[in-house]
Amino acid sequence: MALIVQKYGGTSVGTTERIRNVAAKVKKERDRGNDVIVVVSAMSGETNRLISLAAEIDENPAPREMDVLVSTGEQVTIALLSMALQKLDCDARSYTGGQIRILTDNAHSKARILDISGKAVREDLNAGRVVVVAGFQGVDEHGNITTLGRGGSDTTAVAMAAALKADECQIFTDVDGVYTTDPRVEPRARRLNKITFEEMLEMASLGSKVLQIRAVEFAGKYSVPLRVLSSFEEGEGTLITFEDEVMEEAKISGIAFNRDESQLTVRGVPDQPGIAYKILGPIADANVEIDMIVQNTSQDGTTDFTFTVHRNDYQKALGVLNQVSNDLGGREVKGNDGIVKLSLVGVGMRSHAGIASKMFKALSDEGINICMISTSEIKISVVVDEKYLELGVRSLHETFDLQQA
Ligand code: ASP
Ligand code: MG
């Protein structure tokens, strides 16, 4: 007998009919003889509705009250789901985060889980009950309600699975798994049967928004096998697991991309110790996150720096950079907020040479100019003009044989 944690997101519990559908799926798992803990989100749209109610009263409400408010969405779902399970003669009990003491720090609206006491849950499971837990919420040491950040129910599910040493944590959502790339860009994208935690983190942080990143990190850290699957269709979904368990011998798992990039360059700054700090320090101080950084080898004692930031931060970063360049006697500042980043992701590239050159050839065959390149152990990223995003993704997808058979 296994212990399975299942998490159903907002669209999966969006109506009472869908809640009944979830209850049927949970019961099916019980009937297989497994113990089940179910973590649910608020019904779809509910969290946003609550947030806008608050905005009608105060543009800047107290974070503590905000958490009391938005945590109610999940409380509705746990009660309705438990009722639906009981109606199917499946014994079930609902709990808020506070009731089972999901202890968090006191950072309202972005709290971190510190500890979960599995005791009450264990007793229920032993008594043959399904335990239904409100996602996204906990309590701090003083009993104040906290929430974990948007999409936080994923993290609740993984944390429950880790605390109770579950055999698998299944995230049911409206997609049927993790794909080789975004099917809206490449219709021939293929669902992956397995992917490693490392790859998933690269894919997720690059914009394949299937799971909350924090949940993936958490699952990797506590060795919780994670599966993403559809609540509407039958299927195996995608298992996120460890490298030695990934049997598919693909070198590359997927193509991630990020549309919202911009690039800034400062030319002709003196090449001396501390220069990178003098340029990038003020950017960081302005709370702008820097992604790729390139420094040229120096010529005549001067050098150039290019870096990328999120497009929303472009104007701010440009302002800071102009100021810094003036102070340092730089020759010119240039920027481009019409660029995107394409990344090839795969643990297989560790043991295979020639992946980068194959990638660059594919792009050059399409006449796509590469503006910047950066690499890590399991990823090669290039910056290109935004007009090449679709073409670039499709040609790489084809070059690395990722399309459906
Ligand atoms: N209901 C919360 C949200 O919409 C948490 C979640 O759905 O995971 O962000
Ligand atoms: Mg979600």
Side-chain angles (χ1 to χ4, degrees), residues 118-138:
K119 200 163 157 280
V121 175
R122 231 345 131 233
E123 282 170 17
D124 278 320
L125 294 174
N126 290 342
R129 286 183 202 113
V130 171
V131 177
V132 181
V133 179
F136 174 58
Q137 55 182 264

Side-chain angles (χ1 to χ4, degrees), residues 255-285:
I255 320 279
F257 56 84
N258 199 336
R259 293 182 190 274
D260 308 311
E261 298 272 323
S262 66
Q263 171 183 315
L264 296 110
T265 300
V266 55
R267 288 195 204 290
V269 289
D271 187 16
Q272 47 187 235
I275 193 70
Y277 172 67
K278 280 187 191 140
I279 292 169
L280 301 173
I283 303 278
D285 291 344

Side-chain angles (χ1 to χ4, degrees), residues 40-42 46-47 50 64-78 96-98 134-138 145-148:
V40 285
S41 293
E46 180 62 7
T47 307
L50 294 167
R64 181 188 183 280
E65 304 316 323
M66 206 53 203
D67 278 353
V68 172
L69 177 69
V70 294
S71 64
T72 60
E74 275 71 12
Q75 187 166 340
V76 171
T77 323
I78 54 170
T96 65
F136 174 58
Q137 55 182 264
I145 296 174
T146 55
T147 64
L148 309 177

Side-chain angles (χ1 to χ4, degrees), residues 55-270:
E56 287 175 24
I57 304 265
D58 186 348
E59 276 165 33
N60 230 332
R64 181 188 183 280
E65 304 316 323
M66 206 53 203
D67 278 353
V68 172
L69 177 69
V70 294
S71 64
T72 60
E74 275 71 12
Q75 187 166 340
V76 171
T77 323
I78 54 170
L80 292 174
L81 179 58
S82 298
M83 291 173 196
L85 282 163
Q86 287 162 12
K87 190 91 179 156
L88 297 176
D89 281 327
C90 185
D91 200 2
R93 234 179 224 183
S94 67
Y95 292 97
T96 65
Q99 282 177 314
I100 46 170
R101 236 178 117 67
I102 297 183
L103 183 71
T104 72
D105 61 20
N106 61 5
H108 286 291
S109 85
K110 48 177 184 301
R112 299 217 161 228
I113 295 175
L114 303 173
D115 186 49
I116 295 180
S117 145
K119 200 163 157 280
V121 175
R122 231 345 131 233
E123 282 170 17
D124 278 320
L125 294 174
N126 290 342
R129 286 183 202 113
V130 171
V131 177
V132 181
V133 179
F136 174 58
Q137 55 182 264
V139 278
D140 72 8
E141 56 173 338
H142 303 295
N144 297 301
I145 296 174
T146 55
T147 64
L148 309 177
R150 298 307 304 267
S153 299
D154 291 349
T155 300
T156 304
V158 172
M160 288 297 299
L164 284 125
K165 302 199 169 34
D167 296 282
E168 193 167 291
C169 180
Q170 304 176 339
I171 309 281
F172 287 86
T173 175
D174 45 7
V175 295
D176 66 350
V178 179
Y179 275 70
T180 49
T181 195
D182 187 338
R184 283 167 299 190
V185 171
E186 170 50 277
R188 292 183 300 165
R190 181 170 54 82
R191 181 179 54 80
L192 294 160
N193 290 324
K194 292 188 178 184
I195 186 171
T196 67
F197 282 107
E198 282 174 289
E199 288 170 324
M200 186 62 211
L201 285 172
E202 296 289 2
M203 298 288 279
S205 61
L206 291 164
S208 317
K209 299 183 188 73
V210 193
L211 283 170
Q212 201 197 29
I213 290 180
R214 218 209 289 177
V216 181
E217 284 168 354
F218 212 105
K221 190 165 158 205
Y222 292 97
S223 309
V224 177
L226 201 57
R227 191 183 291 277
V228 178
L229 59 188
S230 162
S231 27
F232 305 111
E233 294 161 39
E234 292 295 315
E236 293 294 291
T238 301
L239 179 67
I240 304 159
T241 183
F242 297 95
E243 196 161 335
D244 48 357
E245 287 165 22
V246 175
M247 311 303 278
E248 281 177 312
E249 260 304 306
K251 296 174 196 147
I252 301 302
S253 285
I255 320 279
F257 56 84
N258 199 336
R259 293 182 190 274
D260 308 311
E261 298 272 323
S262 66
Q263 171 183 315
L264 296 110
T265 300
V266 55
R267 288 195 204 290
V269 289

Side-chain angles (χ1 to χ4, degrees), residues 98 127 148 319 334 351:
L148 309 177
K334 285 182 79 172
S351 49

